[in-house]
Amino acid sequence: MRRCLILLLALLGLPSYAAQLTLELGTDSRQWDSAALLKHPQARDIRIDQDVSYKKTMHYRAVPLAALLTGIKPDDHLQAVALDGFAAEMPAGPLLQSAPAQAWLAVEDPNQPWPPLGQDKPSAGPFYLVWTNPRAGGISPEQWPYQVASIRRLQPVAERFPALRPAAGLRADDPISRGFALFQKNCLACHRLNGAGDAQFGPDLNLPHNPTEYFRPEFLRRYIRNPQDLRQWPQARMPGFSPDVLPDADLDALLAYLSHMAKRKS
């Protein structure tokens, strides 16, 4: 619908509407519109090889995300919320770096809209968080939120949602503790657990049942690696997590956390 409106406005010779991005960063909260971002002093044309959402090479006009995160420190915690309820939880540190991976806010020009993500689907715009050299930074698919509406600074996940915490007393290097960190990075953008989380996209992963309770272990691993290999339907949205994104040791830790939380329903 938005793409059709843009084309209609162009045919009538009327200006297209600029989209709005809200940044809630504490003392430096503000709104940016797409027109201003396209003219930002640090905006540049970038190339993204193997774009996570489009599955091909894409070219964007983009601003280094760090240039917009005024006042944010590496130990802060940010959340990017999309129009469809996808809520990506992200430590600020990687977003502020220029190497090895760098985060960019790609901005869709309303007069030159991006292609749709699929049949009867919108584009990834108006704002899309993309990465250059993502593999070097261990960036997961869930750290590429598209149709971003807002980015805000929040308390860390464990403080906001105590129901997600594993049992107290676990060492930081315990597989369950590592699995909790991986759950926040790879799963919490779409799923809640014990009813806790901000996502409105996927099912709760502990209530009423945890996937470790109804999947045989080998099939749960296959499902995480490639959901369409186990269940196929046209509107499937869950991405696969290849060993490049989620190494076997990390997958073991994630499953250890899920299995642990199956005994901590609340």
Side-chain angles (χ1 to χ4, degrees), residues 13-238:
L14 299 174
S16 299
Y17 292 99
Q20 297 286 330
L21 173 71
T22 300
L23 298 179
E24 300 176 11
L25 307 179
T27 58
D28 189 47
S29 298
R30 64 172 299 177
Q31 283 194 326
W32 283 92
D33 63 41
S34 53
L37 287 168
L38 289 167
K39 297 177 181 178
H40 191 282
Q42 296 190 46
R44 56 176 287 191
D45 296 324
I46 63 171
R47 167 177 165 162
I48 301 295
D49 294 318
Q50 291 300 310
D51 184 279
V52 164
S53 299
Y54 283 106
K55 313 300 183 186
K56 62 180 181 180
T57 298
M58 293 291 292
H59 295 82
Y60 299 108
R61 187 71 175 170
V63 179
L65 189 59
L68 306 177
L69 300 180
T70 307
I72 294 297
K73 300 176 181 178
D75 58 352
D76 285 335
H77 185 86
L78 299 177
Q79 183 190 70
V81 182
L83 296 172
D84 61 5
F86 184 94
E89 302 282 347
M90 300 177 293
L95 300 173
L96 299 175
Q97 297 175 356
S98 59
Q102 185 172 10
W104 298 79
L105 185 73
V107 183
E108 183 178 31
D109 186 338
N111 295 305
Q112 296 179 313
W114 299 335
L117 291 166
Q119 185 175 1
D120 299 323
K121 294 182 179 180
S123 76
F127 307 106
Y128 178 20
L129 200 163
V130 302
W131 298 80
T132 47
N133 203 21
R135 183 173 294 183
I139 304 303
S140 76
E142 306 307 302
Q143 293 172 281
W144 295 67
Y146 57 79
Q147 295 187 325
V148 175
S150 66
I151 299 175
R152 53 187 180 170
R153 180 167 65 89
L154 298 173
Q155 292 297 314
V157 167
E159 295 181 26
R160 284 163 35 224
F161 303 115
L164 298 176
R165 296 176 186 167
L170 294 172
R171 299 193 315 271
D173 62 349
D174 187 286
I176 294 171
S177 300
R178 291 198 302 111
F180 179 36
L182 290 162
F183 176 84
Q184 295 174 58
K185 177 181 179 181
N186 296 290
C187 308
L188 196 56
C190 294
H191 299 279
R192 299 186 182 205
L193 188 143
N194 282 341
D198 287 323
Q200 304 176 36
F201 200 68
D204 192 296
L205 292 182
N206 212 32
L207 300 176
H209 296 291
N210 188 297
T212 62
E213 296 176 301
Y214 58 82
F215 269 117
R216 282 167 38 190
E218 64 271 24
F219 283 104
L220 180 53
R221 288 174 179 274
R222 284 178 60 184
Y223 185 67
I224 293 172
R225 287 290 185 221
N226 183 9
Q228 293 290 307
D229 183 51
L230 199 63
R231 292 174 171 171
Q232 294 186 359
W233 69 99
Q235 300 303 317
R237 298 287 297 272
M238 179 173 168

